[in-house]
Amino acid sequence: MTQTCSRIEAVFRERGPKGQLAFMPFIAAGDPDLPRTADLLKALAGAGADLIELGFPYSDPIADGPVIQASYTRALAQKTTVDGIFEMVGSLKEESMPPLVAMVSYAIIFRHGTDRFIEQASQAGFSGFIVPDLPSEEASELAPQMQAAGLDLIQLLAPTTTAQRTESIVAHSSGFIYCIAVSGTTGERDQVAGELIEQLKSLKQKTKTPLAVGFGIGKPEHLDPLRGVADGAIVGSAIVKHLQLLSDGGKSFEETLQEIEAFARSMAEAAHRE
């Protein structure tokens, strides 16, 4: 029996044979508010994003640096809710959108109700979840539930992840594995660490699941070392920092949107270079 390819897997299958990287920008839902989050999602799609990671604001985010923490704080100040996010994403169903991936704490899923969260996410149009604080034992239960709903469960793998934990992540991840480029929190860095390249090469020997790299990816030149060892690049802080300027009153939303779209286009073009 042939297993159906998910929307996320289809992206990597299209880019990989061409020697290209899939480009996945990140923004937080509700920053500056949900209607303008919808505008940002459409702009990122138009700029060439292959997938888009949408963060569910959380008061105690795991591993996020100050730029994304501040974005979550602004979103929470707007009274952003889980139901509101699903409603906003659902309103984009008629748009030509790439696969949307929810970055969401397991605490949010659990509090909302796992079955309800999965059902609403599927109906809204999400293609998968990244759950940064998901324990191994919970992953073995959540993965089949999500698979039954047509969603991928994506897990994070850090440079410090133990061999046993790596085996569990490889076993229960689908869509792609989120490989953290450096130890520490999210944020821009000057270069890609050599240790990451070695880790990616090792992982390639253990799994056929695509590998996407995040944390510290913020410039087109960061992508070149990833070619041949990774399948995708995730960019967060370099985009979200534009929304900080908007919050500070230094830019209008129209200017901010144009700048984010131009930056995203430059990253997509670099990612798609053959």
Side-chain angles (χ1 to χ4, degrees), residues 221-232:
E221 53 264 35
H222 286 164
L223 303 184
D224 288 333
L226 302 179
R227 298 184 194 281
V229 291
D231 305 286

Side-chain angles (χ1 to χ4, degrees), residues 41-90:
L41 289 172
K42 288 184 279 189
L44 291 170
D50 295 294
L51 311 101
I52 302 176
E53 181 185 348
L54 186 64
F56 279 60
Y58 187 47
S59 57
D60 189 23
I62 306 298
D64 284 312
V67 172
I68 292 175
Q69 284 185 20
S71 185
Y72 280 163
T73 298
R74 292 191 296 271
L76 290 171
Q78 291 292 323
K79 309 296 184 187
T80 303
T81 65
V82 170
D83 287 330
I85 295 170
F86 286 141
E87 183 178 348
M88 180 273 294
V89 170

Side-chain angles (χ1 to χ4, degrees), residues 167-265:
E167 286 183 15
S168 176
I169 288 170
V170 167
H172 297 118
S173 287
S174 62
F176 65 90
I177 295 172
Y178 190 133
C179 300
I180 298 174
V182 290
S183 299
T185 58
T186 56
E188 294 181 84
R189 275 23 179 233
D190 289 330
Q191 58 187 10
V192 174
E195 299 83 24
L196 169 68
I197 305 303
E198 294 307 312
Q199 184 190 37
L200 292 170
K201 289 178 180 177
S202 174
L203 280 170
K204 282 289 185 186
Q205 304 301 314
K206 299 174 182 175
T207 181
K208 295 186 181 299
T209 304
L211 308 177
V213 177
F215 286 47
I217 307 298
K219 301 175 182 177
E221 53 264 35
H222 286 164
L223 303 184
D224 288 333
L226 302 179
R227 298 184 194 281
V229 291
D231 305 286
I234 302 164
V235 180
S237 295
I239 290 173
V240 174
K241 70 179 183 181
H242 290 280
L243 296 172
Q244 177 68 58
L245 292 173
L246 173 66
S247 174
D248 293 341
K251 301 267 185 179
S252 69
F253 180 68
E254 290 69 24
E255 289 175 301
T256 301
L257 192 65
Q258 289 174 4
E259 289 180 357
I260 289 175
E261 190 170 3
F263 172 73
R265 185 170 285 110

Side-chain angles (χ1 to χ4, degrees), residues 3-55:
Q3 187 174 1
T4 304
C5 174
S6 75
R7 287 194 71 207
I8 292 174
E9 291 168 338
V11 167
F12 291 101
R13 288 189 185 185
E14 179 184 354
R15 293 294 178 197
K18 302 174 186 176
Q20 299 173 328
L21 295 167
F23 168 56
M24 181 163 57
F26 165 94
I27 57 171
D31 181 23
D33 54 41
L34 285 176
R36 286 184 285 185
T37 296
D39 292 334
L40 285 162
L41 289 172
K42 288 184 279 189
L44 291 170
D50 295 294
L51 311 101
I52 302 176
E53 181 185 348
L54 186 64

